[in-house]
Amino acid sequence: MKHFFKDLTSSKAGLFGAVLLVIIVALALLAPMLHLPDPTRGDLRARLAGPTWDGLFSPGAHPLGTDEVGRDILSRLIFGSRMTLMVACTAVVLGGIVGTILGILAGYKGGFVDKLLMRLVDIQLAIPLMLLALLIVAALGPSIQNVVLVLALTSWIRYARIIRAQVLSLREREFVQSAHAIGASTLRIMFLHILPNVMTPALVVGTLELARIIIMDAALSFLGLGVQPPTPSWGRMLADGRVYLSSAWWAVTFPGLAIVLTVLSVNLFGDWLRDYFDPKTRSAK
Amino acid sequence: MALLEIKNLTIEFDTPGGVVHAVNDLSYSIEAGETLGIVGESGSGKSVHILGMLGLLPCPPGRIVSGEAWFDGNNLMALSDRELREIRGGQIGMVFQDPMSSLNPVLTVGRQLKEVLQRHTTLKGDALKARMVELLDIVGIPHPEARLSQYPHEFSGGMRQRVMIAIGMSCNPRLLIADEATTALDVTVQAQILDLVRKLKEDFGTTVIWITHDMGVVAELADTIQVMYGGRIMERGPVRPVFHDPRSAYTWGLLNSLPDEGARTQRRLYQIPGSPPDMANPPAGDPFAPRNPFATERCHREVPVLRDVGDVPGHKVAAWYDLPALLAAEKEKTR
């Protein structure tokens, strides 16, 4: 753990990503305690008010301006991040679990199971993911559960492919044979001996997937298939503010910036994490 | 009664280059308490027949064509996967060649030792912990308690092989099989491990099969030596007669290719001519015949059967020729 922080502080990009990520997550977690204006209550007298820093701590202040029905953008951003992060994290974990299990199964069992699973992956890769997501959400109806389900569905294939490749080389290692020699069953070997060995790549794919899923979630919301109003979401804010782009730039700029910063921080942190866990780049330092 | 008796074991591999005959009609037995050293070069079938017997051979490409392996009244070949798992690690312990990769790098040593014990014994809680510490202590690992929570990379090669032996011995197996267990270690560590195994054998009366290509190791450890070539037994018998009075040209070649300890005569080391047989197209007769300077015409035609030779009981050879006579004749000629 000590080494973890030492290595992190020596990487500027990684540290930047980590700090940014911690701030974003902290804001999302602490949102109800920050005395922000209600993100769902509009004030038609203050429609599309520009960002103002006057009287920052007074109740009626809108430091990042308001949207077309007079809702405070800062408050909507912070409350929107709760939804975005929750949806993205759940989808990443769900996709990660399914993808890792199927990847180990395909890699270790080989033969028919492997062929079946990998053809499934190929088929899914051939369909544009956005189209698949749109079809499913449109068919099942837009709800948080469905969005999570769809995002996880677009995500498992990436884990499955990478984990399978890892397992293909791991299963030839001698420790697998010695596990057989002590009488361990196939299931035991797959999940008690091989799984701990692929946790690192799975974790790294997870961070990269998190960034991708945040964007995908925003895209779904933008198209009106994500979280439904009045619950704030970043994609939705972009979609609604787009109309006023020429007159009220703040309505789209800040949600866009929030997405960029979140994805950037996750990517930077993920890159560093990959290097940290890779023994080759680690020993080179 | 023999602890392990292998009868007519034949193993083949299906490869793109044809069927490889890895083990051919192999039969032998080992008594309880005996230490059997199996020697042979790569591809002689010495490891493959053990893996096949224990159900550890990947099938396909491996294929067990025929054979029985009677262990303690059970035919291992006829057991189900589940029954075989009970025996592996419990009654038959194994130690593999490379201690660097035989331990799972991401699990602690204690966790890996615990797994065998939980699998094959009923030990729990403090008794389990005590047994783990005891095992590491038996194989000579200092500070066993602290070592349990360490990862394999914190151990040296010799220490890791000790851990592997602790795992192999953990459930008091009737039979311990070591497959090239000292090959990857340097000579001093090798000597320590051999000492350890000898001591364990004395203390627990374990039967040991030691697979190696190092004649020196066999001479030190084994009661019986079995020389294999081309998936067959070439010669077998108590260590002393096999070393001092080899009857197979292959054994003779192996022994002559070793430097003599403290040799005063500066003789050239013998080199066995040719290269190992292509077991996809094995020679028709004696597999060693093409490389054998003493081969007779019959060697090329017919596979020799094991027959008793010499005056020590149990000394057997598979050869059509009479090696001592041929060597004596050779000596006469050069004089």
Side-chain angles (χ1 to χ4, degrees), chain B residues 28-54:
Chain B
Y28 68 88
S29 66
I30 175 169
E31 301 296 323
E34 190 181 347
T35 299
L36 174 68
I38 301 184
V39 202
E41 57 192 43
S42 313
S44 61
K46 58 192 195 301
S47 298
V48 167
H49 85 275
I50 293 288
L51 294 179
M53 176 180 92
L54 293 175

Side-chain angles (χ1 to χ4, degrees), chain A residues 178 180 182-183 188 193 197, chain B residues 88-89 101-102 104 115 119-120:
Chain A
S178 37
H180 271 297
I182 61 164
R188 221 185 148 78
H193 292 264
N197 278 287
Chain B
R88 287 200 299 254
S101 61
S102 295
N104 195 327
E115 179 165 3
R119 176 80 183 78
H120 296 286

Side-chain angles (χ1 to χ4, degrees), chain A residues 97-112:
Chain A
I97 291 173
V98 173
T100 304
I101 291 176
L102 293 182
I104 291 178
L105 217 59
Y108 192 76
K109 287 277 185 186
F112 177 70

Side-chain angles (χ1 to χ4, degrees), chain A residues 173-186 188 192-194 196-197, chain B residues 51 56 85 88-89 96 98 101-107 111 115-116 119-120 167:
Chain A
R173 297 269 294 273
E174 269 201 347
F175 69 79
V176 172
Q177 197 179 39
S178 37
H180 271 297
I182 61 164
S185 63
T186 309
R188 221 185 148 78
L192 285 172
H193 292 264
I194 289 190
N197 278 287
Chain B
L51 294 179
L56 292 173
R85 281 209 300 271
R88 287 200 299 254
F96 290 101
D98 190 355
S101 61
S102 295
L103 288 165
N104 195 327
V106 297
L107 302 178
R111 160 82 175 61
E115 179 165 3
V116 210
R119 176 80 183 78
H120 296 286
I167 290 175

